[in-house]
Amino acid sequence: MGKLSRRDVLKLGGLGLAVGAGGGLLRWLTANDHAAAGAGTVPTLTGSPDVEVALTAAPSEVSLFSGKPTRVWRFSGEVLQGSPDVLQTLPDTYLGPIFRLKKGQRVRVKFSHSLPEESIVHWHGLHVPEKDDGHPRLVIKRGETYTYDFQVRDRAGVYWYHPHPHGRTGPQVYRGMAGLFIVSDDEEAALPLPAGEYDIPLVIQDRRFDNNNQLVYLTNNMERMTGFLGNRVLVNGRPDFTLPVATRPYRLRLLNGSNARIYKLAWEDGTPLTVIGTDGGLLEKPVQKRFVTLAPAQRIELWVDFSRYDVGTRLRMFSLPHSAPGGGNFAVFTVEVAREEKADLPLPDKLTTHKPLREADAVNAASPRTFTLAMTMGRGWTINGRTFQMTAVARDEIVRLGDTEVWSFNYPGGGMMGGMMGGRGGGGAIPHPMHVHDLQYRILRRQVSVSGRSAWETLSPGFVDEGWHDTVLVMPGEKVDILLRFEDFEGLYLYHCHNLEHEDMGMMRNYRVKA
Ligand code: C2O
Ligand code: CU
Ligand code: CU
């Protein structure tokens, strides 16, 4: 293996072979993955990494309710090299350990699993080479190892990791496989933001349990078309989550790790939310919102000062009613003001300066690359009429390395879907959280149709379109233009709906970055 050149590897790729990174793992692809996989064997990094982690996934159980423990699938990690606090293991949860890395660090992760089906790990939001992106063609079986080797190039922010095997991402995440990947950098460290025990990650998910405390998933086809909704909210893998706080500022880092549920987050006393960050890190300046819309896979960072509450106050974060499926009125978690504490940490009015990315620099500003989202009879959700094929890339899915482009997610109507899914306003409007791998993009503009407008307005005031994103919610009747730049890495990457049931049914496609 060591003697193969990159060109040889690409040739092998053409013959239907895939070559894993690192350990020289070589294996046959399954029958329908013909062709050009070509994950390079040439390591991007030479020498030893700053951090090396063994990440495993295995069946396990966790005690969530009185009575029987719940069977889950869980990531666990071990630091093989580097500081042990690179991994933070949360107690009593099915969630994987939190990776805590600094921008610039070189990390090696050796992933293996003992699951009864194939899996692979994707680093959601991170800008990594193709071979480290966790594409479904790179899945490994029980007992095999996949080695990732990459440098953390992203801005400080909240990223995350989860499995990405085709058709099985939804069930694997649902059983518990997900974890945070938090990046810090010097610029962020210089800001007077709450840190340490005042910087709280909160992973929001919904689940359904049977009478024996076991997870229930997809009981009918309608749930596949809407996306699976639980009937109970868990935060950091715990039901009825309560966060004890002191009377001082906090930084709350929220990830919507749910398969399909969209949250419309608001404090129960009507206090506006102060948003300081999105998927790709800090905003230039804080933004105030009456409520925040958080779609699957999205992250939002809040700055919140509890000094205006008395000790003993219980304040709930609610999800308010909205037009999409699962848009009820319910508590997500509770904050309990538990103790007095003074801290002089005013909210900075300037957080950072974003690197400029201008629409005028886009090679296709006059005619954006358009992706039409639709329900196609007999095939389910489609993108430009297509569904996922393991290595297929259409001509209009090839972009040039170094180019800036405008992409337009176009989701016509709402009326037809309303009819099909059981009536307008009756939870019939199914939005799509559209995710692009390998980069963070800007959101340029949204246009909404007249017929989509009233449903749209139940969520749109909560969109935080400032800053950098890897996932954007596209509502029925809406057209959302985003601005992206393809930098550093050639290769095969994914874009897809992050409603995991939609993704698994094929509302996902490859795009190729070509030099
Ligand atoms: Cu978080 Cu392709 O996914
Ligand atoms: Cu991703
Ligand atoms: Cu979707």
Side-chain angles (χ1 to χ4, degrees):
M1 273 309 298
K3 294 226 186 85
L4 289 178
S5 69
R6 177 167 174 83
R7 178 159 311 144
D8 290 330
V9 168
L10 291 173
K11 250 187 267 161
L12 284 177
L15 294 171
L17 284 167
V19 182
L25 165 78
L26 179 68
R27 60 192 181 75
W28 292 96
L29 285 173
T30 51
N32 53 355
D33 323 344
H34 17 78
T41 45
V42 182
T44 325
L45 302 168
T46 50
S48 62
D50 301 307
V51 169
E52 185 168 339
V53 168
L55 185 69
T56 55
S60 180
E61 46 184 43
V62 58
S63 184
L64 296 176
F65 307 102
S66 64
K68 280 218 172 70
T70 303
R71 286 188 298 275
V72 297
W73 288 1
R74 174 157 56 182
F75 283 117
S76 45
E78 190 193 339
V79 180
L80 304 175
Q81 185 180 319
S83 155
D85 44 287
V86 156
L87 290 186
Q88 179 192 352
T89 303
L90 299 167
D92 301 324
T93 180
Y94 53 77
L95 290 173
I98 302 178
F99 283 71
R100 290 191 177 270
L101 290 162
K102 277 204 182 120
K103 184 175 178 175
Q105 278 187 315
R106 302 186 320 167
V107 49
R108 178 174 298 157
V109 179
K110 291 182 170 161
F111 170 62
S112 59
H113 70 81
S114 56
L115 305 173
E117 60 188 52
E118 294 175 322
S119 193
I120 190 71
V121 176
H122 166 58
W123 313 97
H124 181 118
L126 291 183
H127 179 48
V128 295
E130 164 189 51
K131 68 174 179 52
D132 298 307
D133 194 49
H135 188 280
R137 76 191 188 287
L138 304 174
V139 290
I140 56 168
K141 292 189 175 60
R142 176 207 298 255
E144 294 179 330
T145 299
Y146 193 93
T147 303
Y148 300 84
D149 240 311
F150 59 89
Q151 183 172 30
V152 178
R153 293 164 172 257
D154 291 271
R155 302 175 68 224
V158 184
Y159 305 89
W160 63 300
Y161 63 99
H162 61 75
H164 222 303
H166 184 50
R168 300 295 297 166
T169 297
Q172 291 191 8
V173 171
Y174 188 76
R175 280 171 181 259
M177 292 170 70
L180 290 170
F181 192 108
I182 297 180
V183 176
S184 59
D185 64 19
D186 294 341
E187 187 199 14
E188 178 199 54
L191 288 167
L193 291 173
E197 62 173 301
Y198 309 107
D199 174 358
I200 314 275
L202 297 166
V203 179
I204 303 170
Q205 296 175 307
D206 61 337
R207 294 289 184 269
R208 204 184 298 169
F209 297 91
D210 67 17
N211 294 334
N212 284 317
N213 298 339
Q214 301 311 308
L215 289 163
V216 176
Y217 184 62
L218 285 186
T219 57
N220 64 55
N221 208 41
M222 186 57 82
E223 289 177 342
R224 202 177 299 257
M225 296 318 259
T226 55
F228 186 80
L229 298 167
N231 55 10
R232 149 141 242 177
V233 179
L234 307 189
V235 172
N236 292 347
R238 304 298 306 171
D240 305 313
F241 188 84
T242 301
L243 177 70
V245 299
T247 54
R248 51 156 287 151
Y250 276 76
R251 180 178 185 178
L252 304 183
R253 314 226 212 181
L254 278 49
L255 158 68
N256 181 354
S258 308
N259 282 34
R261 188 180 293 271
I262 297 163
Y263 301 88
K264 178 176 174 178
L265 300 171
W267 293 115
E268 69 173 319
D269 68 351
T271 303
L273 300 168
T274 302
V275 181
I276 59 169
T278 54
D279 299 342
L282 292 173
L283 295 172
E284 292 200 318
K285 50 182 198 302
V287 168
Q288 301 283 331
K289 289 278 175 185
R290 204 157 45 78
F291 63 86
V292 162
T293 300
L294 198 62
Q298 290 185 321
R299 288 84 70 204
I300 205 86
E301 298 199 37
L302 304 177
W303 182 95
V304 48
D305 186 358
F306 296 112
S307 69
R308 45 190 288 255
Y309 299 101
D310 297 327
V311 170
T313 305
R314 288 172 72 84
L315 178 70
R316 287 176 297 178
M317 177 70 86
F318 262 86
S319 185
L320 305 177
H322 58 75
S323 63
N329 192 38
F330 55 89
V332 176
F333 62 88
T334 304
V335 166
E336 192 174 54
V337 183
R339 63 182 203 277
E340 198 78 46
E341 202 176 302
K342 282 248 167 306
D344 186 26
L345 271 187
L347 174 66
D349 43 38
K350 174 110 187 91
L351 297 165
T352 183
T353 304
H354 291 154
K355 72 168 188 230
L357 187 64
R358 284 185 315 245
E359 188 174 6
D361 295 334
V363 295
N364 63 347
S367 55
R369 205 180 277 273
T370 299
F371 300 95
T372 297
L373 316 178
M375 169 71 72
T376 304
M377 274 306 192
R379 306 179 61 196
W381 292 108
T382 56
I383 304 176
N384 281 347
R386 305 174 181 123
T387 52
F388 185 64
Q389 290 174 275
M390 193 57 83
T391 54
V393 180
R395 206 172 299 153
D396 59 4
E397 294 172 315
I398 298 170
V399 301
R400 281 209 161 269
L401 185 66
D403 274 1
T404 300
E405 289 204 4
V406 180
W407 284 17
S408 189
F409 293 120
N410 180 31
Y411 185 14
M416 182 194 77
M417 275 312 303
M420 276 180 64
M421 307 301 294
R424 233 180 270 211
I430 321 273
H432 301 289
M434 297 304 294
H435 171 49
V436 183
H437 280 219
D438 181 45
L439 45 77
Q440 295 288 328
Y441 52 76
R442 309 300 306 255
I443 299 169
L444 290 173
R445 68 185 71 81
R446 298 170 179 269
Q447 283 165 266
V448 65
S449 67
V450 173
S451 66
R453 183 132 209 136
S454 63
W456 184 77
E457 278 171 349
T458 69
L459 285 166
S460 59
F463 295 153
V464 181
D465 285 347
E466 294 87 349
W468 295 94
H469 300 264
D470 56 53
T471 307
V472 66
L473 189 64
V474 183
M475 296 286 288
E478 196 176 30
K479 191 161 88 64
V480 182
D481 292 350
I482 64 171
L483 183 64
L484 345 71
R485 192 172 146 84
F486 309 96
E487 291 175 304
D488 305 314
F489 309 123
E490 292 177 65
L492 198 63
Y493 292 97
L494 299 164
Y495 65 101
H496 59 88
C497 177
H498 219 290
N499 175 314
L500 297 183
E501 287 67 47
H502 295 181
E503 172 181 339
D504 279 347
M505 75 171 68
M507 196 181 188
M508 172 160 81
R509 293 287 302 176
N510 292 305
Y511 75 96
R512 179 174 289 285
V513 183
K514 259 194 165 154

